[in-house]
Every structure is written in structure tokens, then in C-alpha cells.
């Protein structure tokens, strides 16, 4: 019995480690797709003109991004793993189209510096979330409420205060705090969700959904840090 339990426990730990590894591999793959797409588009004036020449194309891409995230999250149990992976990569590609604007506005050196700053911060907070023994659930709930407030404040600033400079910087530092915290919270949540899982398709889909969460944390943290470290052309 003890031998069988040890073997089962070892296999469970190995499966969890493999799934966690896949979370970060898929996240990194999505980030690579987004970054390479954004860079390629920024060097193609025709595509830049198509995306940003009119408000409707850019708005359509934003709506498509939101729809993909909601669809993947809501239908992850009903679609196949291959379909979920394809939709995730499609989302990262579309996100690259919209984020190509940063290469038009900021210098490449400041974008690179901000990326590595984001990667270092993200890595440290993800390690904290993975190894801490503290339950971050209540902290995560607080961050989610703050995120809703951040979205509302951003919309208000954009449409009613016409880019108020004070509110802009308040939302910038609040955004950094929120997504730094969410990185740790989401990492812990993913670890708990994958605990005891076997390498089934359902577990792979759960890991993929975790990769999407961490990808969104990374991208948002990067964009808020870019407000501070980005040098405009």
C-alpha cells in the first residue's frame, strides 16, 4: 500500500509539474506571437494604415479580442484542446495587431527595457505566488474589485475628463500594483487548480486557461510600466 501510494503521489507530482511547465510555455509562445506580430506590422505602412487609418477597423479588433477571451473562458469545457489552443494563438496574434502602435509611438530601446523590467517583476511575483504558504484568495478578491474600479476610472478619464494628467498617473500606478498582485494570485490559483491532476485533455485545457490569465497579467503590467519607462519618438 505504501509503495503504491508513493508511486501514485510521484506520478501526480510529475503530472502537475508538466502541466505547470506547459502553462509557462504556452504563455511565452503567445507573448512571442504578439511581439513578433506587433513588430512586423509596425514595419508595414500598408497594414498600419489599414488598422489605424480608420476608427472602425481598430475598434473591430478590440471587440474581437474581448469576444475571444470571453468565448475561451466560457466554453473551455466544451471545446477541444486543439481548438482552445488555436483560439489562444489567434487572440495573441490579434493583440499583436493592436499593440503594434507602441512601436510607432515609443523607441525600440525603451520598449525592450520595459519588457525586461516586466519580465523580471512578473517572474519574481509568479515565484512568490507559487511558493508562498499564505492564502492569497482574499487578496485576489480585493484586486479584482480594484481592477473594476481601474477600468471605470480609465473610461471616465478618457471620455469625461479628456485625459486628466493626475488621474492618468493615479491609474498608471494603480494598474501596476493590481497586475503585480494578480500575477502572484493567479499563479497560486493555477497551482491549486492543477494539484492532483493527471495529463488528461481537460487538465491541459485548464493549464491553457491559466496561461491565458498569466499572459493577460504580463501584457497589462507591461503596458502600464511602458507609461513610465517608454520614451516617445
Amino acid at each position: 500500500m505504501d509503495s503504491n501510494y508513493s508511486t501514485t503521489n510521484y506520478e501526480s507530482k510529475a503530472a502537475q509539474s508538466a502541466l505547470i511547465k506547459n502553462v509557462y510555455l504556452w504563455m511565452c509562445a503567445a507573448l512571442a506571437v504578439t511581439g513578433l506580430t506587433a513588430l512586423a506590422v509596425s514595419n508595414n505602412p500598408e497594414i498600419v494604415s489599414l488598422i489605424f487609418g480608420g476608427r472602425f477597423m481598430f475598434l473591430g479588433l478590440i471587440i474581437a479580442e474581448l469576444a475571444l477571451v470571453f468565448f475561451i473562458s466560457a466554453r473551455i469545457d466544451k471545446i477541444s484542446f486543439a481548438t482552445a489552443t488555436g483560439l489562444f494563438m489567434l487572440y495573441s496574434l490579434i493583440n499583436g495587431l493592436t499593440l503594434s502602435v507602441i512601436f510607432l509611438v515609443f523607441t525600440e530601446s525603451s520598449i525592450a527595457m520595459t519588457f525586461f523590467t516586466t519580465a523580471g517583476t512578473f517572474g519574481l511575483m509568479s515565484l512568490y505566488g507559487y511558493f508562498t504558504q499564505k492564502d492569497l484568495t482574499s487578496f485576489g478578491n480585493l484586486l479584482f474589485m480594484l481592477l473594476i474600479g481601474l477600468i471605470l476610472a480609465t473610461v471616465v478619464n478618457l471620455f469625461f475628463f479628456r485625459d486628466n494628467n493626475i488621474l492618468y498617473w493615479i491609474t498608471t500606478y494603480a494598474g501596476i500594483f493590481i497586475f503585480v498582485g494578480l500575477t502572484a494570485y493567479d499563479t497560486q490559483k493555477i497551482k491549486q487548480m492543477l494539484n492532483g491532476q493527471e495529463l488528461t485533455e481537460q487538465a491541459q485545457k485548464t493549464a491553457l486557461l491559466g496561461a491565458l490569465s498569466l499572459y493577460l497579467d504580463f501584457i497589462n503590467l507591461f503596458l502600464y510600466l511602458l507609461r513610465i519607462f517608454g520614451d516617445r519618438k
Side-chain angles (χ1 to χ4, degrees), residues 140-223:
N141 293 334
L142 172 63
L143 289 173
F144 182 73
M145 290 187 289
L146 289 175
L147 179 59
I148 294 175
L150 176 66
I151 295 171
L152 292 175
T154 301
V155 172
V156 167
N157 188 38
L158 183 63
F159 290 102
F160 296 100
F161 290 103
R162 297 184 179 180
D163 295 330
N164 180 280
N165 196 50
I166 295 176
L167 191 54
Y168 173 86
W169 287 111
I170 290 175
T171 57
T172 295
Y173 287 104
I176 292 171
F177 170 78
I178 289 169
F179 286 104
V180 163
L182 282 175
T183 297
Y185 167 73
D186 285 336
T187 300
Q188 185 181 79
K189 183 179 177 181
I190 291 166
K191 179 184 177 182
Q192 292 171 347
M193 288 170 61
L194 297 177
N195 185 36
Q197 295 275 6
E198 298 179 358
L199 286 174
T200 61
E201 180 172 353
Q202 185 60 41
Q204 295 276 30
K205 289 192 290 184
T206 301
L208 187 71
L209 198 60
L212 175 59
S213 297
L214 292 181
Y215 168 88
L216 292 172
D217 291 338
F218 189 102
I219 290 292
N220 282 286
L221 179 59
F222 169 76
L223 292 175

Side-chain angles (χ1 to χ4, degrees), residues 17-233:
S17 297
L19 289 168
I20 291 291
K21 179 182 177 181
N22 287 343
V23 168
Y24 290 96
L25 286 175
W26 291 324
M27 185 199 78
C28 290
L31 288 173
V33 169
T34 297
L36 292 174
T37 300
L39 182 60
V41 169
S42 68
N43 290 315
N44 191 311
E46 290 80 11
I47 300 180
V48 169
S49 178
L50 177 64
I51 296 174
F52 302 105
R55 188 176 298 179
F56 293 106
M57 175 60 76
F58 184 74
L59 182 60
L61 291 173
I62 295 295
I63 293 173
E65 287 185 89
L66 293 173
L68 277 172
V69 170
F70 283 119
F71 181 83
I72 295 170
S73 301
R75 305 287 294 180
I76 191 67
D77 291 329
K78 300 183 184 301
I79 59 178
S80 68
F81 172 66
T83 300
T85 303
L87 292 174
F88 184 21
M89 291 301 112
L90 176 61
Y91 170 77
S92 64
L93 187 146
I94 296 175
N95 203 27
L97 295 177
T98 59
L99 290 182
S100 61
V101 68
I102 68 174
F103 286 97
L104 305 176
V105 176
F106 300 100
T107 62
E108 291 188 6
S109 60
S110 68
I111 291 173
M113 182 190 71
T114 305
F115 176 83
F116 287 115
T117 301
T118 304
T121 305
F122 178 91
L124 288 173
M125 294 309 298
S126 192
L127 285 171
Y128 172 77
Y130 189 85
F131 289 106
T132 185
Q133 299 300 312
K134 183 178 180 180
D135 185 1
L136 301 178
T137 302
S138 59
F139 183 55
N141 293 334
L142 172 63
L143 289 173
F144 182 73
M145 290 187 289
L146 289 175
L147 179 59
I148 294 175
L150 176 66
I151 295 171
L152 292 175
T154 301
V155 172
V156 167
N157 188 38
L158 183 63
F159 290 102
F160 296 100
F161 290 103
R162 297 184 179 180
D163 295 330
N164 180 280
N165 196 50
I166 295 176
L167 191 54
Y168 173 86
W169 287 111
I170 290 175
T171 57
T172 295
Y173 287 104
I176 292 171
F177 170 78
I178 289 169
F179 286 104
V180 163
L182 282 175
T183 297
Y185 167 73
D186 285 336
T187 300
Q188 185 181 79
K189 183 179 177 181
I190 291 166
K191 179 184 177 182
Q192 292 171 347
M193 288 170 61
L194 297 177
N195 185 36
Q197 295 275 6
E198 298 179 358
L199 286 174
T200 61
E201 180 172 353
Q202 185 60 41
Q204 295 276 30
K205 289 192 290 184
T206 301
L208 187 71
L209 198 60
L212 175 59
S213 297
L214 292 181
Y215 168 88
L216 292 172
D217 291 338
F218 189 102
I219 290 292
N220 282 286
L221 179 59
F222 169 76
L223 292 175
Y224 280 109
L225 286 173
L226 193 61
R227 291 186 179 188
I228 298 174
F229 298 116
D231 292 328
R232 293 180 179 271
K233 292 183 176 179

